[in-house]
Amino acid sequence: MTDANGPADHTPPPPAYPTAPPAPAGAAPGAPVPGKTLGIVALIVAFFANFIGLILGIVALVQSRKAGVKNTPAVWAIIVGSVLFVLSIIIGIIVIVVITAAAGFATEAITACDAVDYVGTVIVQGIEVDCSTIES
């Protein structure tokens, strides 16, 4: 626009909305990747201490994502840690059930053998138990 009293104005109008900052370009070649070492450590730890490996994997993945880079070891640490953690919970429940059942069987066997003064055999839950092998 030219004004009769002043010079022409060539400045563009301001944007209607604020512009977003540019996306991170990722790590420079040869530069250390944030969270990469922690991701590798998390993957190794996930095999031995599942929950700790899972947490470390999440921390490593968050660090890498903030830097805009991929972290495959961290993702695998999360997967391995989660799967093994769930399996360990299932196995723990099974072990508790088996121990509880065995304790119940032993209690029944002792009670049955006590009734016959620990002489001979008794049938407990369909299993023949020799009372002479049980200490009173």
Side-chain angles (χ1 to χ4, degrees):
M1 273 171 105
T2 54
D3 188 5
N5 297 333
D9 186 17
H10 296 294
T11 59
Y17 52 89
T19 59
V33 176
K36 189 74 155 192
T37 303
L38 185 58
I40 293 169
V41 170
L43 181 57
I44 294 168
V45 170
F47 285 101
F48 305 105
N50 318 120
F51 190 68
I52 294 171
L54 172 64
I55 298 300
L56 289 176
I58 291 170
V59 170
L61 188 62
V62 167
Q63 287 179 354
S64 296
R65 287 220 172 132
K66 281 184 181 177
V69 294
K70 291 177 64 174
N71 191 344
T72 306
V75 172
W76 276 104
I78 293 169
I79 293 169
V80 169
S82 299
V83 169
L84 292 179
F85 183 62
V86 169
L87 285 175
S88 67
I89 289 173
I90 292 170
I91 290 171
I93 291 170
I94 291 171
V95 166
I96 289 171
V97 168
V98 168
I99 289 173
T100 304
F105 177 80
T107 302
E108 273 190 61
I110 291 171
T111 304
C113 286
D114 189 38
V116 294
D117 291 329
Y118 297 93
V119 178
T121 61
V122 293
I123 305 293
V124 179
Q125 297 179 4
I127 300 172
E128 187 174 348
V129 177
D130 183 7
C131 291
S132 63
T133 60
I134 298 177
E135 295 181 21
S136 55

